[in-house]
Amino acid sequence: MKSIFSDIINQFKNGRNLVLGTLIKTKGSTPQVPGASAIFNAEGLVTGTLGGGLIEAEATKLAKQIAGTSQTICKEISLNGKITDQSGAICGGSATILLDAQPEVSLLVFRQITKSLQMREAGILLTEIQFTDSQQISVNRFWLTETTNKLPECCIKHQLTKDRLTQIADGKKAKIIEAAEQQTSYILFAEPVHPQPELLIVG
């Protein structure tokens, strides 16, 4: 089964302006968990899912607007619609999505992940989202495995030690760490990525 990371590499081979959507935070009941991802272009959803329904509809609308630009968006979507509201949702929670309008900046990282998964090697994808007072959002990604010798600067900034990274990897659940300094705030999204389990048929 292909990963979203190999999918985005293949899509870029076709020269498309892509937007990578990632569910980074949830509150209450939501149809998907943090780490769910989808690829969009100017026509709409290409592959993957953020949970369908209102989340995906809003993500698709925004992705169409920013495809081919540098305008990355991070937005919280409420799912607190009333049961009589046919256009809303009644999960009772909320979801924060990151729509990265320049995922090509992270192509090297996506290739590293794809290679690791092919070698049956797990790791953690770190996505650092930086917000400034001028409303600009920048995204930096890092791929860490057991063989990574030096942690990136974002780990030091967010006090993320090797032991803490090991706990996140073993727990297999994405974690979000928020911080701020002077006129800049940060979100560090740590997402364990594991190869698909193998099915062996004997006889």
Side-chain angles (χ1 to χ4, degrees):
M1 184 177 182
K2 292 192 301 180
S3 70
I4 196 76
F5 309 107
S6 59
D7 282 339
I8 199 166
I9 292 170
N10 291 332
Q11 289 295 326
F12 269 112
K13 291 178 182 178
N14 299 327
R16 294 173 179 251
N17 289 321
L18 302 179
V19 175
L20 176 58
T22 307
L23 183 60
I24 62 170
K25 186 177 181 180
T26 61
K27 294 179 183 177
S29 178
T30 57
Q32 270 286 10
V33 297
S37 298
I39 300 171
F40 304 87
N41 61 21
E43 283 72 48
L45 179 66
V46 177
T47 187
T49 182
L50 297 177
L54 182 62
I55 295 176
E56 209 141 275
E58 181 69 10
T60 301
K61 182 183 74 173
L62 294 172
K64 287 180 178 181
Q65 295 173 3
I66 65 174
T69 75
S70 59
Q71 187 185 350
T72 290
I73 293 174
C74 190
K75 181 176 181 179
E76 182 179 9
I77 300 173
S78 174
L79 303 176
N80 288 315
K82 297 179 181 178
I83 196 167
T84 56
D85 183 4
Q86 295 181 359
S87 62
I90 56 173
C91 291
S94 65
T96 301
I97 56 171
L98 172 68
L99 293 171
D100 183 3
Q102 294 183 298
E104 64 272 15
V105 174
S106 303
L107 271 179
L108 176 59
V109 174
F110 298 146
R111 291 190 178 105
Q112 291 172 341
I113 297 173
T114 300
K115 183 177 180 181
S116 292
L117 295 180
Q118 289 172 345
M119 297 173 64
R120 311 295 301 167
E121 181 181 33
I124 294 179
L125 172 61
L126 294 181
T127 302
E128 185 182 46
I129 310 162
Q130 178 178 319
F131 306 83
T132 66
D133 285 350
S134 60
Q135 304 301 315
Q136 293 295 315
I137 300 176
S138 61
V139 177
N140 291 301
R141 292 183 175 88
F142 309 89
W143 176 238
L144 308 180
T145 67
E146 288 185 353
T147 59
T148 300
N149 295 318
K150 185 179 180 181
L151 296 180
E153 184 180 341
C154 66
C155 289
I156 299 172
K157 184 190 306 177
H158 297 282
Q159 300 180 343
L160 201 57
T161 63
K162 280 195 171 183
D163 287 343
R164 179 58 177 148
L165 288 168
T166 299
Q167 291 176 0
I168 293 173
D170 291 344
K172 297 185 179 181
K173 288 185 179 180
K175 299 291 183 182
I176 189 167
I177 303 165
E178 301 184 54
E181 58 180 30
Q182 296 181 349
Q183 297 180 333
T184 305
S185 59
Y186 301 89
I187 289 177
L188 185 64
F189 184 63
E191 177 187 356
V193 180
H194 296 265
Q196 292 290 332
E198 289 184 311
L199 174 64
L200 299 179
I201 300 176
V202 180

